[in-house]
Amino acid sequence: NLRAMSAYQTALSYNPANYDAREKLRELQGKKSIFTQFSTANIDSAIKAAPNPPKAGKSSDYPNDNGVVLLDDTKRVVFNKGTSMSQRELLVKVFNKTGIDQYKEFGIPYNPYTETLVIDKAVVIKKDGSEVKADVARNAIVFKQLEENECVYIKWKTKNYYNGRLSNQFWDDNYFNGGYPVVFARYALLVPEQLKFNHRTQNMSDEPTKRTTDDGVLYEWTISNEPAIVYEAAMPPLTDVVKALYISSIQSWDYLVEWYTDVAQTKTRSSFEIKEEVEKLFVGKRNLSEEEKIRTVYNFITENIRYSSVPFRQSPLVPQKARDVLVNRIGDCKDVATLCIAMLREVGITAHHVLVNTADQGSNANILPTIAFN
């Protein structure tokens, strides 16, 4: 056992995201799953205590709602060097056919580029307590035989594996409310005692409970009996009005600038094709102002490079080489920006990537330094 434990510890020193080795090591050390450090909600009790659906002529806690979120529980564990895994449970009771239509299909939010998803359970819980397994493919779930006043229950895990400068960092955000009323929502975070991070909330108190466990310090943020957010004409994007929690171990935006410079700057190198295209573009055009040069390059790119973003061709973060974007005549936002930088450099103008969120993503006034851009 000692030799095996030493081997697993060595494996984790080389690859902290080796979660199989991490679980085997805990087993050899006689420890239970690290998620046993968290308190666990009782699903049966939550269903029995669920509020009554709206009925004509009878009072109801939710007369205008299509259903209610009985439980939304996220438990995240962060290990040394920033690797982390999370477990989430979602229990929703639907009241009517609109609720069924809204929850008969569900997509689990996760990043396939940097996370592994494991769905532990996805079922319809019928009125008599029996369960009907949902159809599952990757992160897509279809709930069969779902009827009024029944529940859907999902439990899943994600394991992250960031590389490079980001591998030592962690970040997350969590929305506690939304279009459905919420009976109970929790975000719990277990981190090594010496690991530093920042947290900030939006539209709610930032006073988590805190206790020390055998595996680190456990923080919890909770809300209870939260009404649904009712849509109003011209209201801000949902991200600006929800009760939200933001977490990040990244101490400054400068860190992200340095990180993205590392991953993107080599892609802006010029090539024979770029030099040739720029030469043709500016033939006979002398004494242009800086703005005229920028406009000429911009117009060329918008008229000749078509937008394309397909997962098997594009990385979520790293742009393609400027030369490839020009030759193939397609690319996503970061790809065409990279080509623009390379072409502007050929006419003596220095340009940089700028990481932003589009207007429909909200003002993001409360976020901490993360890779939160689109």
Side-chain angles (χ1 to χ4, degrees):
N1 277 1
L2 290 176
R3 289 179 63 187
M5 285 191 285
S6 177
Y8 283 125
Q9 288 168 341
T10 301
L12 287 170
S13 69
Y14 285 108
N15 180 16
N18 186 339
Y19 293 100
D20 289 338
R22 196 176 290 281
E23 290 171 11
K24 288 291 185 182
L25 179 59
R26 288 187 69 86
E27 186 179 323
L28 290 171
Q29 292 171 334
K31 297 179 179 179
K32 296 180 180 179
S33 165
I34 198 165
F35 286 108
T36 58
Q37 299 287 9
F38 299 82
S39 59
T40 302
N42 187 303
I43 302 303
D44 291 337
S45 297
I47 294 174
K48 288 179 182 177
N52 293 321
K55 287 185 179 180
K58 293 187 178 181
S59 63
S60 168
D61 294 325
Y62 306 106
N64 301 312
D65 294 296
N66 301 314
V68 58
V69 176
L70 302 178
L71 175 69
D72 188 354
D73 193 10
T74 299
K75 304 167 185 175
R76 183 165 186 184
V77 180
V78 179
F79 303 102
N80 287 319
K81 298 188 177 180
T83 54
S84 68
M85 60 190 296
S86 66
Q87 176 182 283
R88 185 173 175 185
E89 292 179 279
L90 183 64
L91 177 66
V92 180
K93 183 175 183 178
V94 296
F95 291 151
N96 52 35
K97 290 181 174 59
T98 301
I100 294 172
D101 287 339
Q102 290 172 339
Y103 268 95
K104 68 181 185 297
E105 298 164 357
F106 186 83
I108 293 177
Y110 89 111
N111 187 339
Y113 297 100
T114 59
E115 292 179 324
T116 298
L117 171 66
V118 179
I119 301 176
D120 294 324
K121 191 172 183 179
V123 297
V124 171
I125 302 177
K126 307 293 285 184
K127 295 185 188 73
D128 62 4
S130 62
E131 298 179 353
V132 178
K133 285 186 177 181
D135 290 340
V136 177
R138 303 181 105 180
N139 70 321
I141 300 173
V142 177
F143 291 102
K144 304 171 294 187
Q145 302 180 34
L146 179 59
E147 298 180 83
E148 294 179 7
N149 303 320
E150 294 182 342
C151 296
V152 298
Y153 173 70
I154 319 167
K155 182 179 181 180
W156 71 90
K157 292 187 183 77
T158 54
K159 305 172 184 180
N160 86 29
Y161 48 94
Y162 284 109
N163 296 313
R165 290 171 64 97
L166 294 181
S167 63
N168 293 325
Q169 305 291 341
F170 74 95
W171 58 89
D172 205 357
D173 57 52
N174 189 75
Y175 292 175
F176 289 85
N177 59 340
Y180 271 45
V182 178
V183 173
F184 181 74
R186 170 173 55 184
Y187 184 94
L189 178 69
L190 179 62
V191 299
E193 193 167 358
Q194 73 279 8
L195 195 59
K196 295 181 180 179
F197 71 98
N198 296 311
H199 53 82
R200 181 184 298 165
T201 56
Q202 171 182 283
N203 301 324
M204 62 181 285
S205 171
D206 191 7
E207 296 179 1
T209 61
K210 181 180 176 182
R211 64 182 175 87
T212 301
T213 73
D214 293 338
D215 290 293
V217 182
L218 180 62
Y219 298 79
E220 286 190 0
W221 291 261
T222 62
I223 67 164
S224 301
N225 301 316
E226 186 70 23
I229 295 175
V230 179
Y231 176 79
E232 299 175 17
M235 71 183 286
L238 187 65
T239 186
D240 285 342
V241 299
V242 293
K243 293 186 174 181
L245 167 68
Y246 300 98
I247 291 170
S248 179
S249 64
I250 301 172
Q251 295 302 310
S252 73
W253 290 102
D254 288 341
Y255 186 96
L256 288 171
V257 172
E258 294 169 3
W259 157 72
Y260 203 73
T261 299
D262 285 347
V263 302
Q265 65 179 349
T266 60
K267 307 300 182 181
T268 63
R269 290 173 182 163
S270 190
S271 67
F272 168 78
E273 294 86 352
I274 291 174
K275 292 179 184 294
E276 185 179 51
E277 193 65 58
V278 171
E279 191 174 315
K280 287 193 300 183
L281 197 58
F282 286 91
V283 65
K285 298 177 182 178
R286 296 185 178 182
N287 301 320
L288 294 180
S289 68
E290 185 176 271
E291 182 176 343
E292 289 171 328
K293 291 178 181 178
I294 294 171
R295 189 178 302 279
T296 300
V297 171
Y298 173 84
N299 287 340
F300 168 81
I301 290 175
T302 56
E303 291 170 5
N304 294 278
I305 311 299
R306 310 320 303 157
Y307 182 87
S308 174
S309 181
V310 181
F312 77 83
R313 292 194 76 253
Q314 264 89 11
S315 158
L317 300 171
V318 183
Q320 297 186 66
K321 293 178 181 178
R323 179 261 177 201
D324 294 343
V325 181
L326 176 63
V327 171
N328 294 322
R329 289 297 203 260
I330 57 174
D332 66 6
C333 53
K334 60 186 178 297
D335 296 336
V336 295
T338 300
L339 175 59
C340 186
I341 291 169
M343 295 181 71
L344 287 174
R345 188 177 294 154
E346 290 297 321
V347 291
I349 297 176
T350 301
H352 305 277
H353 292 94
V354 179
L355 310 179
V356 298
N357 263 324
T358 47
D360 60 345
Q361 299 293 306
S363 64
N364 296 292
N366 297 290
I367 66 169
L368 294 167
T370 66
I371 58 169
F373 56 87
N374 69 349

